[in-house]
Amino acid sequence: MSKIYEIDISLFDKIRMYPTYDKFIFTNKGKRNVVAVDNSSGDFFTEDFSNKTKGLIYLVNEEFMPNDVEKEYKTNKNKYKHYNNIVSSQNDYMLDKDLYDRDFLSFDPNKKYEFNIVVGYKQKKIKASIKDALGLASNYESDLLYNDRIIFSPLGFEWEYNNSLIHKYLGISPVNKNGIKLPYSSWGSPKIEVLEQEKSIKI
């Protein structure tokens, strides 16, 4: 069976243009309705549903037509309560398909992740929230990597692109009306946990 991925609706056109043979539930933050897409045959069948569970019911029951979903939802919706065990995340999609496009990444602002930060020609592995990791990278003008992919580069990317990445990851503009940039973090911060000391980068 094809894997099912939950993807933000903003990436619908990108997925449709370069689809993989998978199934998708496209969601819109703050809204219950979803778009379910079955592309397991390469036909990109698209249906709208009033919530994620209904979209999942449609995608896991290959013999179901859209009008079969309502009946199944009313009688057996508890069967699908472990939605997150069946549906993979947007980050999983990026990693599974080896996509380097940073547009597929999203972070929970309250969760700590493992990052690598480039210091000169060496890397340090850290554990921090996305906000603190970006603050550290900004402060030291260092590349920030997640799963071996550069997700922020103060000196390598254009200023506008770095700002758009900060806005995407944090949901805020990096520069406010007073001109204050992203809050800086330093190596001595208790919010930054160093997991691995410097290791040389192979050139």
XYZ file of all heavy atoms in Angstrom, residues 111-113 115 126-133 136 183-194:
202
model
N 9.370 22.241 20.765
C 10.134 20.993 20.809
C 11.600 21.266 20.504
O 11.926 22.181 19.760
C 9.545 20.034 19.770
C 10.164 18.660 19.742
C 9.454 17.789 18.711
C 10.177 16.463 18.529
N 9.570 15.628 17.484
N 12.476 20.462 21.105
C 13.906 20.566 20.808
C 14.284 19.530 19.750
O 13.803 18.395 19.784
C 14.740 20.349 22.071
C 14.675 21.526 23.043
C 15.705 21.389 24.135
C 15.795 22.667 24.940
N 16.892 22.610 25.924
N 15.133 19.949 18.832
C 15.585 19.086 17.751
C 17.108 19.019 17.766
O 17.775 19.890 18.331
C 15.139 19.645 16.393
C 13.648 19.715 16.200
C 12.924 20.829 16.623
C 12.958 18.673 15.578
C 11.557 20.898 16.436
C 11.589 18.742 15.380
C 10.887 19.863 15.812
O 9.528 19.926 15.629
N 20.447 19.516 15.774
C 20.979 20.258 14.629
C 22.490 20.124 14.607
O 23.105 19.808 15.624
C 20.638 21.752 14.739
C 19.176 22.072 14.791
C 18.532 22.286 16.000
C 18.436 22.182 13.619
C 17.186 22.596 16.052
C 17.084 22.492 13.654
C 16.455 22.702 14.878
N 24.134 20.017 18.225
C 23.440 20.636 19.356
C 22.005 20.136 19.415
O 21.477 19.576 18.451
C 23.434 22.179 19.242
C 22.652 22.631 17.977
C 24.849 22.737 19.251
C 22.365 24.122 17.940
N 21.382 20.351 20.563
C 19.948 20.097 20.724
C 19.330 21.389 21.236
O 19.770 21.935 22.250
C 19.701 18.949 21.701
C 18.247 18.502 21.740
C 18.097 17.205 22.515
C 16.664 16.704 22.400
N 16.482 15.421 23.116
N 18.339 21.883 20.485
C 17.736 23.175 20.835
C 16.410 23.325 20.110
O 16.106 22.564 19.180
C 18.675 24.318 20.449
N 15.636 24.327 20.513
C 14.430 24.662 19.756
C 14.869 25.305 18.443
O 16.006 25.781 18.325
C 13.550 25.629 20.550
O 14.181 26.900 20.629
N 13.994 25.340 17.470
C 14.344 25.955 16.193
C 14.686 27.433 16.379
O 15.614 27.951 15.761
C 13.221 25.758 15.136
C 13.608 26.358 13.788
C 11.886 26.302 15.635
C 14.812 25.752 13.134
N 13.985 28.108 17.289
C 14.248 29.533 17.529
C 15.654 29.746 18.084
O 16.403 30.607 17.614
C 13.205 30.098 18.492
C 13.365 31.579 18.767
C 12.265 32.079 19.687
C 12.415 33.560 19.963
N 11.355 34.065 20.871
N 16.031 28.941 19.080
C 17.357 29.098 19.688
C 18.469 28.686 18.722
O 19.536 29.292 18.691
C 17.450 28.290 20.983
C 16.555 28.857 22.083
O 16.417 30.096 22.145
O 15.982 28.070 22.855
N 18.199 27.655 17.918
C 19.201 27.216 16.935
C 19.427 28.292 15.876
O 20.565 28.573 15.489
C 18.754 25.907 16.286
N 21.431 31.098 17.411
C 22.848 30.755 17.517
C 23.534 30.889 16.158
O 24.609 31.481 16.044
C 22.991 29.323 18.041
C 24.401 28.869 18.395
C 24.915 29.613 19.633
C 24.430 27.369 18.631
N 16.241 37.072 17.952
C 16.987 37.060 19.221
C 18.219 36.166 19.132
O 18.153 35.051 18.622
C 15.973 36.475 20.214
C 14.646 36.717 19.589
C 14.859 36.662 18.113
N 19.347 36.675 19.586
C 20.590 35.920 19.517
C 20.665 34.884 20.637
O 20.160 35.093 21.734
C 21.794 36.865 19.640
C 22.087 37.663 18.390
C 22.769 38.870 18.470
C 21.709 37.193 17.142
C 23.057 39.607 17.329
C 21.993 37.914 15.993
C 22.662 39.120 16.092
O 22.943 39.832 14.956
N 21.325 33.779 20.354
C 21.682 32.788 21.365
C 23.189 32.661 21.334
O 23.831 32.944 20.322
C 21.051 31.423 21.034
O 19.649 31.504 21.027
N 23.768 32.214 22.447
C 25.220 32.044 22.498
C 25.550 30.640 22.990
O 24.685 29.925 23.500
C 25.855 33.092 23.427
O 25.437 32.858 24.759
N 26.828 30.271 22.850
C 27.231 28.933 23.261
C 27.038 28.703 24.752
O 26.860 27.572 25.186
C 28.698 28.693 22.886
C 28.882 28.498 21.421
C 29.521 29.329 20.557
C 28.394 27.412 20.629
N 29.460 28.834 19.274
C 28.777 27.653 19.289
C 27.665 26.262 20.912
C 28.464 26.778 18.255
C 27.355 25.393 19.878
C 27.748 25.651 18.568
N 27.054 29.742 25.534
C 26.875 29.572 26.982
C 25.423 29.475 27.418
O 25.140 29.268 28.597
N 24.494 29.604 26.495
C 23.073 29.599 26.848
C 22.633 28.234 27.366
O 22.978 27.203 26.782
C 22.233 29.962 25.621
O 20.871 29.743 25.888
N 21.869 28.206 28.473
C 21.365 26.919 28.983
C 20.342 26.275 28.035
O 20.041 25.092 28.160
C 20.700 27.307 30.315
C 20.423 28.769 30.216
C 21.475 29.342 29.314
N 19.847 27.054 27.072
C 18.877 26.518 26.116
C 19.548 25.729 24.988
O 18.885 25.037 24.232
C 18.052 27.657 25.518
C 17.180 28.369 26.535
C 16.399 29.473 25.869
C 15.510 30.189 26.875
N 14.740 31.286 26.238
N 20.875 25.873 24.872
C 21.625 25.165 23.830
C 22.391 24.015 24.474
O 23.289 24.225 25.279
C 22.639 26.095 23.119
C 21.950 27.350 22.571
C 23.391 25.340 22.034
C 21.015 27.114 21.416
N 22.028 22.796 24.124
C 22.714 21.618 24.651
C 23.686 21.103 23.586
O 23.266 20.727 22.490
C 21.682 20.537 24.989
C 22.254 19.291 25.590
C 21.202 18.208 25.832
O 19.996 18.494 25.702
O 21.610 17.069 26.119
N 24.973 21.126 23.914
C 25.977 20.635 22.971
C 26.072 19.115 23.122
O 26.417 18.611 24.179
C 27.350 21.290 23.205
C 28.380 20.728 22.236
C 27.249 22.799 23.057
